[in-house]
Amino acid sequence: VPPAADPAHTPPAQTRVLVVSRSMPEPSSPGMTLHGRLEAGAMPHAEMNGTVMTDSECSPDAAGISHCRNEIRLADGRTIVVRHPHDMARVPCLSPGEDVFVRPS
């Protein structure tokens, strides 16, 4: 019997958009647009493709919100690190290998 899929780490079939800002945004809502805070690397000047390399530090806080740390390799070869606040029961994590559109806020 194959293991059951983990919905918190199963990205949707469509490519999601990650809007990156310099301050911590409200937690991401269900849907295709996510929000994160830039922690390291240069803010992209325009929307570009990226690939999620890591998903770590996902333990939820007292309110049930995870502030996952994700390294993302951008199409131009640079890497950025973002914090993605979300409720893992409602919004899946950014998963390693997932392609995203990274958009500056």
Side-chain angles (χ1 to χ4, degrees), residues 26-104:
E26 291 295 316
S28 294
S29 298
M32 299 308 295
T33 301
L34 309 176
H35 301 276
R37 181 188 72 194
L38 183 69
E39 284 207 328
M43 178 72 77
H45 296 293
E47 182 176 294
M48 67 175 63
N49 294 338
T51 301
V52 179
M53 305 304 293
T54 66
D55 181 45
S56 61
E57 301 176 25
C58 295
S59 298
D61 62 20
I65 302 300
S66 295
H67 298 269
C68 298
R69 181 181 187 276
N70 302 106
E71 292 181 39
I72 299 172
R73 186 179 61 233
L74 300 174
D76 64 6
R78 294 182 298 126
T79 299
I80 60 172
V81 177
V82 298
R83 283 284 173 184
H84 173 220
H86 65 113
D87 177 345
M88 289 195 319
R90 298 178 56 221
V91 177
C93 291
L94 289 164
S95 298
E98 179 179 356
D99 290 324
V100 293
F101 293 119
V102 178
R103 179 184 301 157

